[in-house]
Amino acid sequence: MSKTVIVYSFNSIKSKKVAEKIIQAFGKDKITAVNAEEITTEVFKNNDNFILSTPTWFDGELPNYWDEFIPDLEDMDLKNKTFAVFGLGDQKGYPENFCDAIGILVEILESCGATIIGKVNNDNYTFESSRALRDGKFLGLPLDQENQARLTQSRVEKWVKQLKKEMK
Ligand SMILES: Cc1cc2nc3c(=O)[nH]c(=O)nc-3n(C[C@H](O)[C@H](O)[C@H](O)COP(=O)(O)O)c2cc1C
């Protein structure tokens, strides 16, 4: 049976809250939670499906915990593994870099041969630019707890349904 993990920072507040909603929607017994701040290449080697959390920090950058792991990640062969990325961002506060980190992480995963799932339409977001957008579609699920917290639950439920269809 294929193995699924969700990786997020256990020390974050907003991302953790959203990750818990995803776990709930996915089914607690069907997914294993891993702390992004203690991520190792073994986690990537030993599992098949991945849901990765990356909020955007520092005006369009990855948070430190992902940044530190990127050199190890770049050397990995991720063929035959599926990855879905969700990311918290603030479309009013950072309209020029809205959820850029989703795009940064997906580009690296793609360069390792990973299959990216969980792309969504650009519906009901207002911003100027985002590295997470490609051909009008988001490369993962953007969530905005600052401005659109009320939409998060329904966005998560819809996305998890989509992931279940797209996962191996
Ligand atoms: C210093 C700082 C820089 C940020 N930069 C961005 C950004 O470039 N793009 C964006 O969409 N959100 C940005 N945000 C918003 C965060 O991504 C958002 O608050 C998110 O919910 C943080 O999640 P976390 O608390 O789980 O890390 C920034 C927030 C702070 C405080």
Side-chain angles (χ1 to χ4, degrees):
M1 216 182 99
S2 67
K3 288 190 277 183
T4 304
V5 295
I6 180 167
V7 186
Y8 61 95
S9 161
F10 287 11
N11 293 317
S12 64
I13 295 170
K14 292 184 187 144
S15 295
K16 184 178 172 187
K17 203 172 152 193
V18 172
E20 283 165 358
K21 287 182 194 292
I22 293 174
I23 293 167
Q24 191 72 33
F26 205 88
K28 271 187 187 158
D29 52 336
K30 296 190 182 70
I31 191 161
T32 306
V34 173
N35 188 355
E37 292 172 46
E38 292 169 9
I39 189 76
T40 61
T41 52
E42 292 304 301
V43 172
F44 283 79
K45 281 182 195 148
N46 295 340
N47 293 282
D48 312 291
N49 299 311
F50 300 83
I51 300 175
L52 308 185
S53 156
T54 182
T56 301
W57 278 90
F58 317 116
D59 293 344
E61 307 278 339
L62 294 170
N64 288 335
Y65 44 90
W66 277 123
D67 223 20
E68 284 159 16
F69 184 67
I70 294 308
D72 289 341
L73 182 62
E74 282 172 336
D75 287 339
M76 295 198 75
D77 178 0
L78 300 177
K79 277 189 206 81
N80 302 319
K81 294 180 187 286
T82 68
F83 285 80
V85 179
F86 71 95
L88 272 62
D90 173 353
Q91 61 201 290
K92 268 197 192 151
Y94 302 87
E96 290 169 7
N97 303 92
F98 179 51
C99 287
D100 276 7
I102 294 177
I104 297 170
L105 196 54
V106 165
E107 285 167 25
I108 295 164
L109 295 166
E110 285 175 332
S111 73
C112 300
T115 300
I116 308 299
I117 61 168
K119 296 174 188 172
V120 303
N121 291 329
N122 179 9
D123 289 338
N124 300 320
Y125 300 95
T126 305
F127 59 95
E128 283 164 35
S129 61
S130 173
R131 200 165 159 183
L133 264 189
R134 189 186 292 163
D135 301 328
K137 235 177 153 163
F138 281 113
L139 297 166
L141 178 68
L143 295 164
D144 185 338
Q145 293 302 93
E146 264 89 3
N147 308 295
Q148 296 185 325
R150 279 180 299 116
L151 299 181
T152 297
Q153 185 67 33
S154 58
R155 281 175 171 163
V156 160
E157 284 172 15
K158 191 174 169 200
W159 194 58
V160 168
K161 271 189 198 146
Q162 178 184 339
L163 297 189
K164 286 188 170 178
K165 283 190 201 140
E166 294 178 353
M167 278 176 180
K168 285 187 238 168

